[in-house]
Amino acid sequence: PDWVPQVRDNVMQLEREFTFKNFKQAWAFSNQVAELAEAEFHHPSILLEWGKVTVTWWTHAINGLHKNDFICAAKTDALLK
Amino acid sequence: PDWVPQVRDNVMQLEREFTFKNFKQAWAFSNQVAELAEAEFHHPSILLEWGKVTVTWWTHAINGLHKNDFICAAKTDALLK
């Protein structure tokens, strides 16, 4: 599944689930996303579970989606390559 | 706020929000919780956001709460000391 627009508390967000074969791999990916967030000065929510990471991008300042969120979503995908 | 019981998809879970003054501190704490999870062979969901980490413990095998979840919740709190 690709990035999916979600409305949560009236805020449009861009969300994607990434699956992994164990916790350690999911954990490593969540750290890569956190590093990306710090590098971009833009912070998604990162939900780490066993074998799964859910990343959600949106722009707090506008309570919605900005072009930058789509760029960060693409950069998140690129971490896997 | 302390640990709060939550019912999600008919599963009783134990959840607590931890707040921090920036992303880096929240990120560091989420890694401590992930290390605890690996050490315990028991994996919560860990939601990392700017300045906030939400930890949710439950036991997949019984679709609910086991004594071990309360122990892991206490160990999570102890990480902050």
Side-chain angles (χ1 to χ4, degrees):
Chain A
D2 210 338
W3 292 91
V4 177
Q6 299 274 359
V7 179
R8 201 168 280 135
D9 299 329
N10 270 327
V11 177
M12 180 79 92
Q13 305 179 322
L14 206 54
E15 186 163 286
R16 182 169 183 177
E17 272 185 28
F18 298 88
T19 54
F20 299 91
K21 66 174 189 201
N22 56 38
F23 183 77
K24 225 179 258 287
Q25 287 190 3
W27 181 13
F29 180 69
S30 74
N31 275 323
Q32 286 184 283
V33 177
E35 275 170 39
L36 172 65
E38 284 289 85
E40 296 288 331
F41 297 103
H42 189 45
H43 298 86
S45 79
I46 305 170
L47 175 61
L48 169 61
E49 297 172 278
W50 197 95
K52 187 165 85 171
V53 177
T54 307
V55 180
T56 310
W57 291 100
W58 78 100
T59 299
H60 298 67
I62 60 169
N63 264 329
L65 289 173
H66 180 270
K67 190 173 71 171
N68 192 36
D69 294 303
F70 293 87
I71 293 171
C72 285
K75 287 184 178 179
T76 305
D77 288 342
L79 295 173
L80 288 170
K81 282 163 198 164
Chain B
D2 211 339
W3 292 92
V4 177
Q6 298 275 358
V7 179
R8 200 168 279 135
D9 299 330
N10 270 326
V11 176
M12 180 80 92
Q13 305 178 322
L14 206 53
E15 187 163 287
R16 182 170 183 177
E17 273 185 26
F18 298 88
T19 53
F20 300 90
K21 67 174 190 202
N22 56 39
F23 183 77
K24 225 179 258 288
Q25 288 190 1
W27 182 12
F29 180 69
S30 74
N31 275 323
Q32 285 184 285
V33 177
E35 274 169 41
L36 171 66
E38 283 290 84
E40 295 288 330
F41 298 104
H42 190 44
H43 298 87
S45 79
I46 304 170
L47 175 62
L48 169 60
E49 297 171 279
W50 197 95
K52 187 164 85 172
V53 176
T54 306
V55 181
T56 310
W57 290 100
W58 78 101
T59 299
H60 299 66
I62 59 169
N63 265 328
L65 289 174
H66 180 271
K67 189 174 70 171
N68 192 37
D69 294 302
F70 294 86
I71 294 171
C72 284
K75 288 185 177 179
T76 304
D77 288 341
L79 295 172
L80 288 171
K81 283 163 195 163

